[in-house]
Amino acid sequence: MAAYKYALAAANYPQIDAWEIWNEADAPGSNPFSSGNESADQYTAMMKAAAIGFHDSPGKPLISDAGTAGQRKPYTDLMARNDVFSYADIHAFHLYAPTTAPRCPTRGVASLLTWTW
């Protein structure tokens, strides 16, 4: 309920067109708000509540899920199984390896900006 109420209030800033709900929820110690112990299930529940709050607001800004630290499996897969992408307009992930690295999973697709599940 807190995530819903926060999003509903935050959406009253019409100058903000899009909101990312969390950042690197899959990376332990990446921010002062996360212990890194939150599971993808817990993140998805919070993200859905916030997304509903934003969508219930008059401004209806675009919503991005947490920018994950790369495409970490099984975290991202569990997000998908919990239907998080039905609540997001944008799926964000961060590339930390050069896309020319021989084993880089995103090699050849660095210019891909959207993903459809």
Side-chain angles (χ1 to χ4, degrees):
M1 190 58 142
Y4 173 86
K5 288 180 179 179
Y6 175 85
L8 195 59
N12 287 322
Y13 293 90
Q15 67 273 30
I16 299 174
D17 296 323
W19 288 83
E20 179 184 73
I21 302 175
W22 215 260
N23 183 52
E24 295 189 355
D26 61 326
S30 64
N31 62 67
F33 306 107
S34 175
S35 67
N37 294 325
E38 294 83 8
S39 69
D41 290 328
Q42 291 170 310
Y43 166 73
T44 300
M46 185 275 298
M47 191 280 188
K48 286 179 178 181
I52 292 168
F54 281 115
H55 287 291
D56 284 352
S57 73
K60 301 192 183 340
L62 294 173
I63 304 302
S64 173
D65 64 0
T68 56
Q71 278 305 105
R72 293 183 185 225
K73 294 181 175 256
Y75 196 95
T76 304
D77 289 343
L78 187 53
M79 286 171 53
R81 284 195 303 273
N82 280 289
D83 199 32
V84 76
F85 303 116
S86 293
Y87 292 79
D89 302 300
I90 303 160
H91 172 61
F93 61 96
H94 306 135
L95 299 175
Y96 288 115
T99 58
T100 56
R103 301 190 68 106
C104 179
T106 56
R107 185 176 181 190
V109 294
S111 62
L112 183 64
L113 298 177
T114 59
W115 222 358
T116 303
W117 290 89

